[in-house]
Amino acid sequence: MRLSDSITTIKGVGAKKQILLEAMGISTIYDLLEHKPFRYQNRLSREPFMDVPEGKDVLIGGILINKRLRSIGKGRTMLECALRDESGIFHAIFFNMPFLEKNLRLGTDYTLFGKMKWRNGAKTIVNPEMYPTDSPRDIRGIIPVYRRTAGISSNELSKLVRSIVDKLDESCEWLGDELIEKNNLAPEDYAYRNIHFPESGAAYNRAKFRLIYDKLLAFQYSVLYNRRILDEECGNSKIAPVDIGKFLESLPFRLTLGQQSAIDDIEHDLMNTRAMNRLVQGDVGCGKTVVAETAIFHAVSAGWQAAFMAPTEILARQHFAKLSVDFAKFGMRIALLISGLKSAERREILSGISSGDIDIIVGTHALIQSDVEFAKLGLVITDEQHRFGVNQRKILSEKSEAVNVLVMSATPIPRTLAATVFGDMDFSVIKSKPSNRKDIITRYATEKSRERVYANVYNEVRSGNRAYIVAPSIEENEESDLISAEALYEELKIKFKGLKVGLIHGKLEKLEKERIMNEFADGSINVLVSTVVIEVGIDVPEATVIVIENAERFGLAQLHQLRGRVGRNDLQSFCYLICYSDSENAIARMNAMVEISDGFEISEEDYRLRGAGDLMGTMQHGYSGNSFYDLFGYDKILKLATSDAEQILSKDQSEIKELVDIEQLQLRTNNIMMQDNSNII
Ligand code: ADP
Ligand code: MG
């Protein structure tokens, strides 16, 4: 078994499971191992039932002293059990499981896991898991809980992962002894086994240390590698001066100071011999697209081709439409290259690109990896997320001798991290927003004020504006009480009389998604219920309200991204966060959203509230669901990884083998670069 093997090589994963897993971004064994529990249940030792709090999952147990099966009408049954532990007698009840009665033996010691509740004045555990304490099928230990996504339960995932980690051995180790010993690292197989099924708290921490080291090593290697390539790639990336005034004058607005200075930086890079590798960072709505367009205008006017890549096809289409309009009067030829084109059409576009007839190619991030041959590629722009891993960088340099790269991101990262995370890039920050913008009014609501929120939304939309309503999950499921987009859609269709409500989510067909987005954009849909698919980049200026259900489930950065979908014209916009948790942290995050409108400040606050870098932090929270940037909070590991990455880079091919498996390293750098966006959590 190799980590790069497809998940279909796992017993029990057929075509149907494969689709479900791939929808979660899991296509290889490595991906599965990297899908870490978002929390754990501590079932290490039983507690006296007297001491356990109400409403929390607990592990208790005792000797069964009584059982009674009763019928409670309509064919339903209730099995009542009484058990005794050292602190007294407690009850367990099971609804509609009459078959259990026969199997349970009086006088036997049982272990139970479930929630304790008060019921008719007695502490009672309802429908717990229950096993004879001495049975081999023990439920004790630290049990992983995976975030459930459509169709695959945490239990199922846990079984799949178990079958993999049981087979892992030292053959999956990709670091040489030197690095392992020097840094006192746990072996790779141990790390994966214990991040999923920790033997103890200490084992979990060792595993976590190792896996964070792996990520940071790959990341730092990639940053240093890119920096070196850029320093070597000289000469051919120089683009002739061009009068960009013609383009700027064609715009219906004047540039903000931030836009102007980003453009100045880019101009300087383009005309320089050293290839551009610049990140333009600016909050949603600050107007990054026109900055990218100016760069394209320059490159194309000087006789080069430009590729513009977006993270999703919806966005690629949107950019294509915008660029087509904005460049029409300059006679630039532009094409959209996405999957699902008719083969004749695709062939024609490809030949246009390789002959140089097409100047601007818009597509998704797959564009650069595919078989596209460019006549004279001079500029690559990626919008929202994603820089280049070592492999992609190599592919890029094969497409053209020295390509100028411009990355645009709305993900502000804490200033303290910028120099490390973007060590291979120069960056321009756009701080100002177009001056016609009003701050979005953000309100924080609870279940109690939920109805009022929807009443406000109804009024706002009836007066002619449009609204997004975001839910954290697609469909209802028993295991969670998250609001689902489907249920919300049904609810709002009834609530919003006379309005057209639409529903969009990731599982819809591509064409269907597009149709719905278009209807929302042209106003035939007024209220769009969605999952986070709308998160990145979508621009519908008429939308002035966004409601986010289960706001407590989203990170601050993500909430801020979502909020940025409104406030895109000169009307007053509103953002309602409906929060169903009263935990201190959730409330602090809601308040941060209400009070702070600046993305950078939000990111600092996010970083602070997450308590990044706390390696000994409670296991309850795991770390997998957190932002990529949290990794950089582990200062000590970061230092080790950085100096090791430098060492690897200073060695020649034959020496590197001693330190790492270079193929694995590259696999990991690509993987981590793809994740480099805290939007998608
Ligand atoms: P983002 O930075 O989120 O990608 P966009 O480029 O989509 O933002 O711009 C958001 C909106 O603001 C667009 O409708 C765009 O036309 C408009 N816009 C951009 N720059 C300015 C400006 N200087 N003045 C007024 N409106 C602007
Ligand atoms: Mg944008």
Side-chain angles (χ1 to χ4, degrees):
M1 180 180 75
R2 294 166 52 112
L3 297 190
S4 55
D5 287 348
S6 155
I7 37 168
T8 52
T9 59
I10 306 173
K11 230 176 114 196
V13 178
K16 215 174 125 204
K17 275 246 169 71
Q18 183 188 10
I19 293 172
L20 293 171
L21 287 166
E22 280 182 352
M24 299 161 68
I26 299 173
S27 47
T28 64
I29 290 182
Y30 175 74
D31 298 335
L32 185 62
L33 290 171
E34 281 293 316
H35 185 81
K36 303 185 196 91
F38 80 101
R39 66 185 179 89
Y40 301 84
Q41 288 172 347
N42 190 344
R43 303 192 191 181
L44 277 174
S45 57
R46 295 198 328 202
E47 291 173 69
F49 88 88
M50 266 310 206
D51 299 346
V52 303
E54 203 190 328
K56 257 180 72 181
D57 283 333
V58 291
L59 190 74
I60 53 177
I63 304 212
L64 184 64
I65 53 173
N66 201 1
K67 58 177 180 174
R68 186 160 68 119
L69 184 63
R70 287 199 291 152
S71 159
I72 51 172
K74 291 188 185 153
R76 299 189 306 142
T77 65
M78 178 166 94
L79 173 63
E80 282 178 305
C81 299
L83 296 101
R84 187 209 314 271
D85 74 2
E86 65 279 12
S87 64
I89 292 173
F90 66 91
H91 298 268
I93 52 177
F94 298 88
F95 289 103
N96 306 321
M97 291 188 244
F99 46 86
L100 274 184
E101 203 255 348
K102 281 200 305 294
N103 297 336
L104 295 178
R105 283 192 200 168
L106 296 180
T108 300
D109 191 276
Y110 286 94
T111 296
L112 297 82
F113 183 80
K115 276 192 182 53
M116 202 58 146
K117 288 192 180 127
W118 281 102
R119 203 167 176 280
N120 302 332
K123 268 194 171 175
T124 306
I125 189 163
V126 180
N127 288 346
E129 288 177 45
M130 180 165 169
Y131 302 102
T133 302
D134 62 3
S135 78
R137 192 182 166 197
D138 204 338
I139 55 169
R140 294 191 204 183
I142 299 173
I143 311 290
V145 183
Y146 298 91
R147 215 175 272 296
R148 187 200 134 109
T149 7
I152 299 196
S153 70
S154 172
N155 257 334
E156 272 178 285
L157 266 176
S158 159
K159 279 197 195 109
L160 285 182
V161 176
R162 180 100 245 177
S163 72
I164 297 299
V165 297
D166 282 347
K167 272 194 248 157
L168 287 180
D169 55 25
E170 62 268 27
S171 68
C172 74
E173 185 54 72
W174 67 289
L175 297 182
D177 294 342
E178 186 186 330
L179 291 182
I180 292 187
E181 275 158 32
K182 179 169 85 82
N183 299 316
N184 188 22
L185 299 174
E188 186 85 346
D189 59 326
Y190 174 97
Y192 279 123
R193 203 169 300 122
N194 280 285
I195 206 73
H196 290 281
F197 306 98
E199 282 160 21
S200 65
Y204 168 82
N205 281 329
R206 239 169 101 61
K208 185 168 161 183
F209 187 100
R210 167 68 207 255
L211 295 177
I212 291 174
Y213 172 88
D214 281 7
K215 283 234 152 72
L216 289 173
L217 180 69
F219 187 87
Q220 290 303 81
Y221 175 78
S222 188
V223 164
L224 295 170
Y225 178 92
N226 284 345
R227 182 96 251 174
R228 192 167 83 177
I229 295 285
L230 283 165
D231 290 340
E232 286 168 1
E233 264 180 14
C234 279
N236 290 311
S237 65
K238 191 168 170 166
I239 292 186
V242 156
D243 176 17
I244 55 168
K246 269 199 296 192
F247 175 69
L248 298 179
E249 281 150 26
S250 76
L251 298 171
F253 47 71
R254 293 180 52 136
L255 295 178
T256 63
L257 281 179
Q259 286 171 321
Q260 186 59 59
S261 92
I263 289 172
D264 290 345
D265 292 342
I266 292 166
E267 287 283 292
H268 176 264
D269 291 346
L270 289 178
M271 295 185 281
N272 201 331
T273 45
R274 189 167 180 275
M276 168 164 76
N277 196 29
R278 180 169 296 277
L279 171 80
V280 172
Q281 214 178 24
D283 224 340
V284 273
C286 75
K288 292 182 293 294
T289 314
V290 67
V291 172
E293 283 180 330
T294 311
I296 294 173
F297 180 86
H298 186 141
V300 173
S301 303
W304 297 79
Q305 287 174 308
F308 192 160
M309 308 191 291
T312 64
E313 290 201 353
I314 294 188
L315 271 170
R317 281 172 193 278
Q318 188 177 294
H319 282 311
F320 174 70
K322 177 119 179 53
L323 267 56
S324 301
V325 172
D326 292 352
F327 289 131
K329 45 183 144 337
F330 301 105
M332 293 179 181
R333 292 147 301 181
I334 169 165
L336 177 67
L337 190 66
I338 49 176
S339 61
L341 293 178
K342 291 201 189 72
S343 60
E345 208 179 340
R346 186 178 168 85
R347 230 175 304 127
E348 200 186 310
I349 294 177
L350 286 177
S351 92
I353 299 173
S354 67
S355 69
D357 283 344
I358 293 174
D359 304 307
I360 306 165
I361 306 93
V362 182
T364 63
H365 290 148
L367 187 62
I368 209 69
Q369 316 234 30
S370 61
D371 53 352
V372 187
E373 270 180 47
F374 294 86
K376 203 180 173 197
L377 183 63
L379 173 66
V380 171
I381 297 178
T382 76
D383 187 24
E384 311 282 2
Q385 76 171 307
H386 192 289
R387 10 209 257 137
F388 296 101
V390 175
N391 282 351
Q392 290 125 304
R393 189 85 228 177
K394 277 193 185 136
I395 295 172
L396 204 59
S397 46
E398 280 157 20
K399 303 258 178 207
S400 174
E401 279 176 63
V403 181
N404 292 288
V405 172
L406 184 62
V407 176
M408 303 202 295
S409 167
T411 309
I413 76 150
R415 271 171 271 265
T416 36
L417 297 185
T420 312
V421 179
F422 297 118
D424 56 339
M425 295 196 189
D426 300 312
F427 42 103
S428 309
V429 178
I430 304 181
K431 287 217 177 93
S432 41
K433 284 208 178 175
S435 58
N436 56 349
R437 298 296 154 68
K438 298 192 175 69
D439 267 349
I440 300 162
I441 295 178
T442 302
R443 296 209 175 107
Y444 150 39
T446 60
E447 200 162 5
K448 269 201 213 122
S449 43
R450 185 173 182 271
E451 288 306 312
R452 269 213 311 279
V453 168
Y454 284 110
N456 287 346
V457 174
Y458 188 46
N459 288 334
E460 179 80 10
V461 177
R462 272 204 311 184
S463 70
N465 296 324
R466 273 164 242 169
Y468 292 106
I469 320 280
V470 182
S473 74
I474 299 182
E475 54 201 16
E476 295 279 274
N477 78 65
E478 295 149 24
E479 284 167 40
S480 91
D481 40 18
L482 294 184
I483 307 264
S484 78
E486 281 176 358
L488 202 53
Y489 172 64
E490 295 304 327
E491 178 188 345
L492 295 183
K493 268 199 301 194
I494 297 167
K495 244 188 204 131
F496 290 169
K497 274 188 220 71
L499 300 182
K500 180 87 190 318
V501 182
L503 171 67
I504 191 167
H505 56 69
K507 278 211 285 185
L508 294 178
E509 293 285 321
K510 225 180 293 165
L511 287 174
E512 180 71 1
K513 270 193 270 195
E514 237 165 73
R515 187 183 59 76
I516 296 171
M517 255 346 278
N518 288 338
E519 285 186 21
F520 186 60
D522 71 22
S524 28
I525 289 177
N526 327 96
V527 176
L528 186 62
V529 178
S530 91
T531 52
V532 289
V533 291
I534 57 148
E535 192 174 332
V536 213
I538 296 290
D539 188 21
V540 178
E542 293 81 4
T544 57
V545 188
I546 184 164
V547 179
I548 303 169
E549 287 274 7
N550 285 118
E552 72 276 10
R553 296 303 293 259
F554 297 97
L556 277 186
Q558 202 180 17
L559 288 174
H560 183 68
Q561 281 277 333
L562 287 167
R563 176 167 65 181
R565 296 306 113 222
V566 298
R568 302 192 143 236
N569 60 20
D570 47 10
L571 296 173
Q572 180 61 57
S573 287
F574 300 88
C575 168
Y576 295 99
L577 306 168
I578 308 185
C579 172
Y580 296 83
S581 158
D582 53 9
S583 84
E584 224 170 275
N585 187 281
I587 293 172
R589 282 186 294 136
M590 296 308 122
N591 283 332
M593 287 299 296
V594 170
E595 280 158 25
I596 309 174
S597 57
D598 176 71
F600 276 92
E601 271 179 55
I602 295 253
S603 78
E604 306 275 349
E605 187 64 13
D606 200 18
Y607 196 57
R608 201 180 65 74
L609 285 173
R610 283 171 192 270
D614 180 12
L615 189 58
M616 301 320 225
T618 56
M619 270 178 48
Q620 298 288 325
H621 294 102
Y623 75 96
S624 57
N626 288 350
S627 148
F628 167 79
Y629 295 117
D630 286 0
L631 290 175
F632 295 90
Y634 299 99
D635 281 345
K636 190 177 144 217
I637 313 181
L638 181 62
K639 283 208 186 80
L640 297 176
T642 309
S643 81
D644 293 345
E646 273 162 5
Q647 194 192 350
I648 295 170
L649 214 62
S650 70
K651 300 276 152 107
D652 60 38
Q653 260 350 67
S654 61
E655 294 171 320
I656 286 183
K657 270 198 270 169
E658 301 286 302
L659 290 174
V660 287
D661 177 337
I662 195 79
E663 233 173 79
Q664 281 278 334
L665 180 61
Q666 286 174 4
L667 186 90
R668 282 154 204 268
T669 69
N670 288 324
N671 220 292
I672 201 164
M673 288 305 182
M674 303 297 268
Q675 280 177 14
D676 175 16
N677 62 92
S678 58
N679 311 333
I680 294 164
I681 294 188

